[in-house]
Amino acid sequence: MIAAVLAPVLAPYDPLSQDLRRALEGPGGDHWLGTDYLGRDVLSRLIFGARVAIQASLQTVAIALIVGVPLGLFAAYRSGWWDRVLMRLLDVADSIPGLVLAFAIIAVLGPGLTSAMIAVSIIFAMNYMRLSRALALGEREKLYIDAARVSGLTERNVLFRQMLPNMAGPLIVQSTIYMGTALLIEAALSFLGLGLDIGAPSWGGMLSGATQWQNQQPFLPWPPGLAITLTVLAYNLLGDGLRDALAGEGSIRGIRERRQARRLSSRPAASAAEIDGPQAERIALSIRGLSVAFPTDTGIVTVVDDVSLDVRRGEMLGLVGESGSGKTMTGRAALGLVPIPGLVTAGSVRVDGQEVVGSSEAELNNLRGGSISMIFQDPLVALSPVHTIGRQLTQAIRNHDHDLNASAVQDRAVELLEMVGIAEARTRLRDYPHQFSGGMAQRVVIAIALAGQPSVLIADEPTTALDVTTQRQVLDVLADLKDRLGMAVVLITHDLGVVADACDRAAVMYAGQIIEEGTVDEIFKEPRHPYTSALLAAVPTSAGGSGRLPTIPGRVPPMDALPTGCRFAPRCLHRRDVCKMGPIELTTGSRCIREDELSLPGTTPVLRKKS
Amino acid sequence: MGIVPQLALVSVAIFLLTYLIPGSPAAVLLGPRATPEGIAELEERLGLDQPLVVQFVEWVGGVLRGDLGTSWFGNKPVTKVISEHLLPTISLTVGGILVAILLGMSAGIVAALRPGALLDRIVGLGTATGLAVPSFWLGVILLGYLAVQLGWFPVLSWTPPSQDVGLWLRGLVLPSIAVGIAGSAVIARHTRSAMLETLAAPYVQTLRAMGTPRRTIVARYAIKNTMVPILSVIAFQLSTLIAASFVVEQVFTIPGIGTQLINAVARKDVPVVQGITLVVAAAVIMIYLLADIGYALLNPRARPQ
Ligand code: SF4
């Protein structure tokens, strides 16, 4: 840019002055970048060429903006007939590549940059129209436009005062890209001799001259080529930079923070050995002192803090909590599936006595599906949309049974589908996920999870995305399978109704910690933590009501700004000064310092009749 | 929009181009020393004295019969001009898009597998550069160094396949790279982001939770899911790639449609320019149509039940 403006000052030689005696020199003292076939100074021509290039790209984009954006706004604002006409024009513009249109225009109007670049700007304008139309339609959805209309601003005011500033970001980013494209087209035209007069300094023209003399002076194509590349690169990087700046933070958290977090992580705690007694056989999943942390801009945030749990075969444990309580992360950590950049920073997870924390990916792949499986919230997105469910079921079977032949795998797949209650299983194997209803899809997901005969199943909100009747059916399938296969099931949910319905025991999580644990009866009838009691109070007691959690005043504290002392204190009705003194331990099943003094109201777990 | 009305609109636009010529095309053709009689005679011969509507109807009628008119130079039918030079152009375009797809998709996938890692950054830098390098300059450099100096590839890039298939393929390598690099950069960027999105999708979590090795997830599941959005990117690249191949033909002296078009542009041979532009537009529309069909094949939700 600067070079373009200052060209006459910067250039050491007149770009047109020839010196045939010094033609085709390499780079050297007098001519830093050498000379061309007429002995003209390459550097000087390069600097003057920058003017042509940058002028052409700026003009093209400016014209396109001036024409395209108002048209797009107009189309969006008027919609209807005008919109349709403009969109048809867009289709036409789409089918002729910009360069080809430029050729056609030059054929008609004669060589010259201006007319050709105007042709290119028409194509760009069409795309600006598309972009600004889409943006404007998006903006229009937003309330404030309606508000502005009501408050009596004129139409033009609405368009230009309110929409444009919000659309500026994407338009600017697109413009930097088009400036690059325009420059490339200008260079191509000059290269072909269809742009400016051959003698005038332009990068494409220089390149064209350079090719003819490449054998004598192989350096000649480099300066103009690099000049084009670097300028376009600069435009594009500018665009990328702007886009990132507009999008706010970068998409990937710093690697340094991740390393820092890893340094904190320890090998599994030795405490896992405690349960290696005779009763250990019945315990399928044992979590000890598990902590999971995520690096953030403000430091490392621990989202699961010192969680311990045991789940026996044939038992269903409800893991209850509001969103953000760390219940899902606990479940994922049990399979070694903590998403990047999170890390298990302490503790141990044992599945059938085998350690998960610190295992290699290959070891984990053996465990996953084979010893422990997990199903996720929304069944309709939990299956690959472009593969048949047969394919996905087969994959799950083969992951743990490598030498089964094709027909045996097929039979097993049918058996699994029948087990979860899907009719006409054999034909349905050929169906795609979108051909299943939510409840049926969730059954398929369960069948897939069971393919490797795991002893532990983690079900993360398996019924939340389903309607009430289907919820019940899916819970019944889970309970039935748990009994028949003797699995340990962890049911992650925010719905106490579901817990009462299906679980034997429950653990309540708050702000990354387990705050109370016990049998469903104990927890419902005699809660020992004020949070549990408050949750129960928020559940409608009438039969059939599906209790949704939070009608407790206040909010879960952000994990990077936890209160010292009891984490529930800001919302607790029974708070005393003693509660805020320091961290509270999970003692005999409750993490409340006043556990013994308080007698908290509970409720009777309303067991719905199985259908 | 259906392809028929779209083609119709495009042909109207292309036809009207002729009428942007300042003054009479015949006068332009005959040059500054033309006599009025000469101009009138030529206008009559070229049918330019007819009213606009008549000319248009005739042109469209011709197009429908597969007749794109006759070159103003040498009386050759435009369809013949095109068909004689179609093979080099198609070879180069197919070569270019293959380079773009293979290079772009693999780079995009590799980058997405470990976001933020060294390879990802190299791909990021590579795509930024690839987008900025003019294809014809890349052609000049490749030809100058790899073919002329090192002799790894034939200096004469075009050999008809009927003459020597091996030489035909070898000659196409460098021009295809020159044509395909920019497209590969775009495809790589889109593949990377589509792949990242796929790998974060819930169904990938399901696959992981049942112990599917990462390699299998990427190779058998993620790539197919990623292809769905990438298909339209490829179709769009193909249309820009056709234009790029026209310029690159000049560098490698490949006797394709681009050469014909540029010659025609230089001597204002309007029927040839119109014919080629129309054929290119038709090809682009067909490419989009094929992309739509491919989309339905890849994506079961888009299939009629
Ligand atoms: S420790 Fe105190 S603040 Fe915390 S739950 Fe118990 S009574 Fe409430």
Side-chain angles (χ1 to χ4, degrees):
Chain A
M1 276 287 206
I2 298 165
V5 178
L6 297 180
V9 189
L10 278 178
Y13 294 88
D14 180 344
L16 299 178
S17 82
Q18 304 177 0
D19 185 353
L20 285 174
R21 281 163 301 149
R22 308 200 53 178
L24 296 172
E25 273 184 18
D30 279 358
H31 299 278
W32 290 352
L33 294 175
T35 55
D36 70 3
Y37 60 100
L38 292 175
R40 295 174 295 196
D41 181 53
V42 170
L43 180 61
S44 308
R45 289 177 67 76
L46 206 58
I47 294 171
F48 274 91
R51 287 185 134 181
V52 177
I54 289 170
Q55 202 184 351
S57 54
L58 277 178
Q59 267 175 3
T60 309
V61 170
I63 295 174
L65 269 172
I66 292 168
V67 176
V69 174
L71 274 181
L73 289 178
F74 181 73
Y77 210 73
R78 270 292 155 80
S79 53
W81 193 78
W82 274 106
D83 190 27
R84 277 198 292 280
V85 169
L86 288 171
M87 287 300 108
R88 288 300 85 87
L89 278 178
L90 194 57
D91 285 329
V92 173
D94 266 349
S95 45
I96 307 178
L99 192 56
V100 174
L101 183 66
F103 284 155
I105 296 284
I106 288 175
V108 169
L109 295 181
L113 265 188
T114 319
S115 50
M117 293 319 281
I118 288 176
V120 174
S121 50
I122 292 173
I123 301 247
F124 287 175
M126 289 295 155
N127 286 300
Y128 275 125
M129 180 175 99
R130 185 203 326 259
L131 181 65
S132 52
R133 172 177 176 269
L135 288 169
L137 285 176
E139 289 291 328
R140 202 168 66 164
E141 298 299 306
K142 296 190 189 158
L143 263 175
Y144 70 94
I145 295 285
D146 291 332
R149 201 182 279 151
V150 172
S151 69
L153 287 174
T154 68
E155 197 167 289
R156 222 180 31 198
N157 263 324
V158 174
L159 280 178
F160 286 94
R161 291 252 178 87
Q162 310 228 10
M163 281 183 174
L164 265 183
N166 289 300
M167 294 163 46
L171 285 175
I172 289 172
V173 171
Q174 187 63 46
S175 301
T176 59
I177 294 168
Y178 279 156
M179 299 225 298
T181 314
L183 202 155
L184 286 174
I185 292 180
E186 182 271 323
L189 291 175
S190 308
F191 176 73
L192 296 171
L194 297 174
L196 287 180
D197 168 34
I198 266 292
S202 84
W203 292 343
M206 288 172 72
L207 202 46
S208 153
T211 23
Q212 287 155 32
W213 302 94
Q214 204 182 358
N215 287 342
Q216 283 96 318
Q217 182 46 271
F219 178 73
L220 222 41
W222 285 100
L226 286 179
I228 299 169
T229 308
L230 290 177
T231 312
V232 178
L233 191 61
Y235 283 150
N236 290 348
L237 291 181
L238 181 69
D240 288 351
L242 285 172
R243 177 174 19 225
D244 289 350
L246 291 169
E249 53 184 319
S251 53
I252 304 294
R253 283 266 147 68
I255 292 179
R256 205 185 325 129
E257 283 159 339
R258 189 166 152 76
R259 280 208 202 105
Q260 202 180 329
R262 181 164 286 155
R263 234 175 281 133
L264 282 179
S265 78
S266 59
R267 293 292 300 175
S271 58
E274 286 165 18
I275 46 143
D276 281 348
Q279 44 140 267
E281 279 149 48
R282 296 223 57 218
I283 297 180
L285 172 68
S286 167
I287 300 177
R288 281 287 168 282
L290 179 74
S291 294
V292 178
F294 278 79
T296 66
D297 296 337
T298 50
I300 289 158
V301 173
T302 300
V303 295
V304 174
D305 190 0
D306 195 18
V307 163
S308 299
L309 280 175
D310 285 325
V311 194
R312 288 167 193 79
R313 288 177 206 288
E315 178 182 63
M316 195 178 303
L317 171 88
L319 193 55
V320 193
E322 289 167 275
S323 59
S325 60
K327 55 191 194 307
T328 296
M329 210 47 73
T330 305
R332 299 184 64 125
L335 283 87
L337 276 180
V338 174
I340 288 171
L343 278 171
V344 173
T345 49
S348 134
V349 174
R350 290 195 166 202
V351 179
D352 284 343
Q354 218 184 322
E355 182 59 54
V356 171
V357 179
S359 290
S360 72
E361 195 64 20
E363 289 166 343
L364 285 176
N365 279 336
N366 262 329
L367 276 172
R368 291 179 192 146
S371 305
I372 179 165
S373 268
M374 183 159 181
I375 60 180
F376 299 93
Q377 185 161 349
D378 187 347
L380 290 174
V381 293
L383 297 166
S384 166
V386 301
H387 295 92
T388 61
I389 62 137
R391 167 85 183 265
Q392 297 177 63
L393 201 46
T394 315
Q395 179 75 52
I397 296 166
R398 285 203 188 279
N399 281 348
H400 299 284
D401 231 327
H402 305 281
D403 354 277
L404 231 49
N405 68 32
S407 76
V409 170
Q410 182 88 359
D411 290 343
R412 175 91 177 111
V414 172
E415 185 192 326
L416 282 164
L417 282 189
E418 279 166 354
M419 202 160 76
V420 294
I422 287 182
E424 294 175 59
R426 203 167 281 275
T427 42
R428 299 234 69 181
L429 284 178
R430 282 193 297 274
D431 285 348
Y432 288 91
H434 72 278
Q435 291 164 301
F436 289 80
S437 68
M440 284 299 146
Q442 192 61 290
R443 288 170 196 242
V444 173
V445 173
I446 294 172
I448 286 177
L450 298 182
Q453 293 167 301
S455 36
V456 181
L457 177 68
I458 314 257
D460 185 6
E461 305 267 11
T463 58
T464 308
L466 308 175
D467 65 70
V468 181
T469 358
T470 331
Q471 277 187 8
R472 176 88 49 87
Q473 290 165 359
V474 169
L475 283 181
D476 288 346
V477 170
L478 275 178
D480 175 52
L481 290 170
K482 174 203 74 172
D483 293 338
R484 267 206 286 162
L485 307 174
M487 274 191 307
V489 179
V490 177
L491 187 66
I492 298 173
T493 181
H494 65 270
D495 188 339
L496 278 172
V498 168
V499 174
D501 221 10
C503 295
D504 310 301
R505 283 193 309 131
V508 184
M509 283 190 80
Y510 188 81
Q513 295 175 321
I514 291 189
I515 52 102
E516 179 163 9
E517 200 204 326
T519 66
V520 168
D521 253 16
E522 284 166 5
I523 286 201
F524 274 70
K525 284 190 190 139
E526 294 159 23
R528 281 172 294 165
H529 195 286
Y531 177 61
T532 318
S533 173
L535 283 183
L536 291 168
V539 176
T541 41
S542 63
S546 138
R548 298 283 153 144
L549 281 184
T551 29
I552 307 170
R555 277 183 32 238
V556 185
M559 296 300 291
D560 54 355
L562 293 170
T564 47
C566 177
R567 293 182 180 179
F568 184 58
R571 297 164 81 185
C572 184
L573 297 174
H574 309 277
R575 178 184 59 224
R576 295 285 179 277
D577 285 345
V578 56
C579 304
K580 289 180 257 175
M581 306 279 266
I584 313 233
E585 296 303 315
L586 183 64
T587 50
T588 49
S590 165
R591 204 183 277 272
C592 174
I593 207 162
R594 306 187 61 216
E595 179 189 345
D596 295 333
E597 333 163 15
L598 296 172
S599 111
L600 297 162
T603 176
T604 327
V606 186
L607 287 173
R608 291 172 231 168
K609 260 183 103 183
K610 294 202 170 171
S611 47
Chain B
M1 171 155 76
I3 25 173
V4 178
Q6 190 174 353
L7 264 175
L9 271 179
V10 169
S11 56
V12 173
I14 290 171
F15 173 78
L16 287 177
L17 269 183
T18 336
Y19 292 89
L20 289 174
I21 300 182
S24 159
V28 177
L29 269 180
L30 290 175
R33 271 176 294 163
T35 57
E37 297 82 50
I39 292 176
E41 192 199 296
L42 185 64
E43 279 191 337
E44 202 190 322
R45 194 156 61 79
L46 298 175
L48 294 172
D49 52 343
Q50 307 275 347
L52 190 64
V53 183
V54 176
Q55 288 185 43
F56 178 65
V57 169
E58 273 182 12
W59 191 71
V60 168
V63 169
L64 289 178
R65 276 179 278 115
D67 172 10
L68 294 174
T70 309
S71 164
W72 284 351
F73 295 84
N75 276 329
K76 209 175 189 183
V78 174
T79 42
K80 197 139 187 254
V81 174
I82 294 175
S83 62
E84 277 174 1
H85 298 91
L86 202 56
L87 186 62
T89 296
I90 290 183
S91 310
L92 182 53
T93 313
V94 170
I97 200 70
L98 281 180
V99 169
I101 294 173
L102 294 179
L103 193 66
M105 286 205 62
S106 37
I109 291 168
V110 165
L113 289 184
R114 306 199 62 189
L118 185 67
L119 260 178
D120 183 28
R121 286 187 225 179
I122 292 173
V123 170
L125 202 70
T127 53
T129 317
L131 281 172
V133 174
S135 53
F136 49 92
W137 177 64
L138 188 63
V140 168
I141 297 291
L142 288 175
L143 185 70
Y145 287 90
L146 298 187
V148 177
Q149 284 197 10
L150 294 171
W152 291 353
F153 296 93
V155 176
L156 269 179
S157 295
W158 179 250
T159 315
S162 53
Q163 200 176 313
D164 184 338
V165 175
L167 216 52
W168 171 66
L169 286 174
R170 285 218 313 161
L172 280 171
V173 172
L174 295 183
S176 299
I177 293 175
V179 167
I181 282 289
S184 80
V186 179
I187 291 174
R189 287 190 159 195
H190 284 274
T191 305
R192 179 182 179 275
S193 64
M195 190 60 157
L196 279 179
E197 210 168 283
T198 304
L199 288 178
Y203 53 82
V204 168
Q205 299 303 323
T206 306
L207 283 162
R208 291 189 73 191
M210 61 199 188
T212 319
R214 198 171 148 85
R215 225 174 329 113
T216 315
I217 296 183
V218 171
R220 294 222 202 124
Y221 295 91
I223 289 180
K224 191 172 176 192
N225 274 292
T226 305
M227 275 305 285
V228 176
I230 295 303
L231 208 58
S232 62
V233 176
I234 292 176
F236 185 73
Q237 282 316 303
L238 200 46
S239 74
T240 10
L241 203 138
I242 293 175
S245 79
F246 286 175
V247 186
V248 170
E249 273 180 19
Q250 307 305 298
V251 176
F252 291 92
T253 44
I254 294 173
I257 292 180
T259 314
Q260 295 305 310
L261 177 62
I262 287 156
N263 287 342
V265 167
R267 28 177 219 206
K268 299 187 199 295
D269 193 346
V270 175
V272 173
V273 175
Q274 275 180 328
I276 292 178
T277 311
L278 185 66
V279 168
V280 169
V284 170
I285 293 172
M286 288 311 286
I287 289 165
Y288 287 148
L289 184 73
L290 285 178
D292 281 349
I293 295 172
Y295 181 79
L297 286 179
L298 270 181
N299 186 359
R301 280 166 298 186
R303 272 176 228 165
Q305 292 297 308

